[in-house]
Amino acid sequence: MSRLELRPLAAADLPACGTLLADRHRRHRVAQPQLSARFEDPAVALAELTAAYETPDSSGAVAYRAGVPVGFVLGAPKPSPLWGPNIWVEAAGLAVTDAEVMRDLYAVAATRWVDEGRTAHYVVVPAHDAELVRAWFRLGFGQQHAHAIRPAARLGTGTRAGLSVRRAIRADIPALAQLDVELPLHQGLSPTFSAGRVGTVEESLAEWAADFDDPAYTTFVAESNGRVIGAAVGCALEQSSGHLSLARPDHAGFLGFAAVFPDARGVGAGRALGAAVIDWAVSAGFDSVVTDWRVTNLLSSRTWPALGFAETFLRLHRLIR
């Protein structure tokens, strides 16, 4: 095999890397045909890659064999303090013809990232490519998050006796505000231990009062014995800031939020709320429904796959001390 040539990614490499990215997405759609076919076009893939390359402080690496490109990786930092001193390789930021090459590419790119003090590394990887995922695991990464999709098709399942789901009304705002706080509190517990900020009920009350009538979002509540015990929100996927570029299917609905009070868990409220959002997406004419979850959240990582959501992308994470 020809010697692998590695160097920092440059603008002149983008057209060839765009073709690699389009080829990767074409293979991905064999496993997940509900992903957008647009990105199989090298010109469209190149546009996504170019946008990522033009992100402030982006950098990466490219690999060639005998003058032919065989892989690239490209990352850029996010300004939010939530992610630490970070670098993100998003869905358009990597492609290889051989998964092992990704380890060499990371070695080159990460040298600069760590020299710049960016020691929290995040990468969004196609879930179907077991060898590529394993290559990242062998670089010290672990899975943190999952993106998933399912067809917009009604589930046809009922709810348990005493449990019902309906559209939220303004009188539900106090319960909705409490549930807004409940989710990050739950994420902060074992085994997730999320360090995300937990807002106050007062802040959430003000937000709900101001935004409740926004037609872009549809909110459902679950009731048991006349008490609101949970809520979920559906919207178009375009409202999500976390499903971008190749990870954004066309004409998809989004299950963007769901929470149930701790004392009401285990009666099927989460499943019923998820089903309500799926049914809403069908009625709204969406082709598919997308959601995501922390894989260490035991509740969501079991409930959403049970509703037919299949992983499309995995967010992997490595923290360098």
Side-chain angles (χ1 to χ4, degrees):
M1 184 178 292
S2 300
R3 177 177 174 271
L4 191 66
E5 301 172 21
L6 295 150
R7 56 177 171 76
L9 183 69
D13 301 309
L14 296 183
C17 291
T19 299
L20 289 176
L21 184 60
D23 288 343
R24 187 206 84 188
H25 192 67
R26 187 176 300 111
R27 296 190 301 271
H28 196 172
R29 288 195 68 247
V30 173
Q32 287 286 355
Q34 291 173 307
L35 294 173
S36 176
R38 294 183 299 114
F39 302 108
E40 293 186 15
D41 182 342
V44 177
L46 173 59
E48 295 297 316
L49 178 56
T50 301
Y53 183 81
E54 292 174 350
T55 301
D57 298 318
S58 71
S59 63
V62 63
Y64 284 82
R65 274 202 175 101
V68 177
V70 294
F72 74 92
V73 66
L74 172 66
K78 290 188 177 182
S80 171
L82 174 65
W83 308 114
N86 66 82
I87 200 83
W88 278 74
V89 178
E90 295 280 11
L94 75 160
V96 286
T97 59
D98 174 0
E100 182 64 17
V101 171
M102 187 54 68
R103 287 164 30 93
D104 297 281
L105 286 164
Y106 175 75
V108 173
T111 299
R112 173 172 171 174
W113 298 340
V114 174
D115 285 348
E116 293 175 343
R118 307 189 191 282
T119 53
H121 298 176
Y122 302 84
V123 56
V124 179
V125 183
H128 79 290
D129 193 336
E131 287 302 312
L132 182 58
V133 172
R134 184 169 179 269
W136 284 103
F137 283 172
R138 291 167 60 222
L139 286 163
F141 283 75
Q143 185 180 354
Q144 182 185 54
H145 209 77
H147 297 226
I149 195 170
R150 58 151 289 140
R154 298 185 190 278
L155 292 170
T157 57
T159 57
R160 295 187 184 182
L163 179 67
S164 62
V165 176
R166 59 169 173 81
R167 291 284 188 99
I169 58 176
R170 278 196 166 267
D172 298 320
I173 286 179
L176 293 170
Q178 292 174 359
L179 287 162
D180 260 354
V181 175
E182 196 59 55
L183 182 59
L185 284 174
H186 174 71
Q187 297 277 45
L189 300 176
S190 180
T192 302
F193 298 115
S194 172
R197 176 181 178 272
V198 178
T200 67
V201 173
E202 290 72 23
E203 290 171 336
S204 186
L205 279 169
E207 292 174 3
W208 274 107
D211 300 336
F212 185 83
D213 296 317
D214 187 340
Y217 300 91
T218 301
T219 304
F220 296 91
V221 295
E223 280 188 323
S224 178
N225 299 317
R227 174 199 171 205
V228 172
I229 61 171
V233 178
C235 60
L237 187 57
E238 285 74 16
Q239 300 296 329
S240 169
S241 61
H243 297 259
L244 304 172
S245 187
L246 282 73
R248 176 169 287 179
D250 297 326
H251 206 225
F254 182 44
L255 172 54
F257 171 87
V260 176
F261 287 120
D263 66 324
R265 291 170 189 159
V267 300
R271 181 182 178 88
L273 287 162
V277 172
I278 292 167
D279 286 349
W280 161 82
V282 175
S283 298
F286 290 108
D287 296 330
S288 62
V289 187
V290 169
T291 195
D292 59 85
W293 61 84
R294 283 289 181 98
V295 295
T296 46
N297 182 333
L298 303 183
L299 299 177
S300 57
S301 66
R302 291 167 179 162
T303 300
W304 304 144
L307 287 176
F309 286 97
E311 291 178 340
T312 51
F313 288 87
L314 311 181
R315 182 208 297 167
L316 311 182
H317 175 48
R318 180 185 183 187
L319 185 61
I320 298 170
R321 296 293 189 183

